[in-house]
Amino acid sequence: MPLWKCSVCNYIYEGTEPPANCPKCGAPRERFTRLSEEEERLVLRSRYTNALHMEIYTALQRLVELAEKGIQDNLDPPCVKIFSEVKEFSLTTMQKIKAELETHMKKGKWG
Ligand SMILES: [Zn+2]
């Protein structure tokens, strides 16, 4: 399916032809240009990477939950140490992912 870009707001639309109006800014169809094959490839690539980031983020949220249960369980110090490390790693990585995705959005990498 071809990709079309709104020249006013950079919204990317997927379809056989551009929409009558931009769903984001309302600009008319004439303001859309078709992406080149190279641009299409880049958009699809970054969509894939962003999807992986989101999946990892969700998995890390689950790790934080499990680590907190372990910390509460408090069987012995070595276990609590491991759970605390898992929690800290997960929270730090989640922040990194958020920061990275914000960078992508500013660069208009969200397809
Ligand atoms: Zn637009």
Side-chain angles (χ1 to χ4, degrees):
M1 199 73 92
L3 295 176
W4 308 83
K5 187 179 191 172
C6 173
S7 60
V8 177
C9 72
N10 293 330
Y11 181 89
I12 306 266
Y13 181 84
E14 190 171 340
T16 45
E17 54 181 80
N21 291 96
C22 175
K24 188 173 168 220
C25 74
R29 169 170 294 162
E30 303 78 64
R31 303 306 295 269
F32 277 83
T33 51
R34 186 170 173 172
L35 294 188
S36 68
E37 270 182 37
E38 173 65 7
E39 288 170 321
E40 254 181 45
R41 204 181 55 78
L42 285 172
V43 167
L44 296 177
R45 277 280 293 111
S46 66
R47 275 187 189 173
Y48 178 65
T49 298
N50 289 338
L52 288 177
H53 274 302
M54 295 312 293
E55 259 190 72
I56 289 172
Y57 191 91
T58 306
L60 289 169
Q61 279 180 318
R62 177 73 183 133
L63 282 182
V64 170
E65 284 170 22
L66 292 172
E68 280 173 347
K69 279 186 193 172
I71 292 165
Q72 265 182 1
D73 183 46
N74 196 15
L75 178 66
D76 55 38
C79 290
V80 171
K81 183 170 183 288
I82 292 171
F83 293 137
S84 302
E85 284 168 1
V86 169
K87 184 180 172 182
E88 195 187 316
F89 166 81
S90 302
L91 289 174
T92 305
T93 309
M94 285 162 72
Q95 290 306 319
K96 287 183 192 172
I97 289 174
K98 265 199 245 170
E100 182 59 26
L101 290 181
E102 273 171 29
T103 314
H104 289 191
M105 280 189 274
K106 281 192 199 112
K107 284 189 209 147
K109 270 193 190 171
W110 277 103

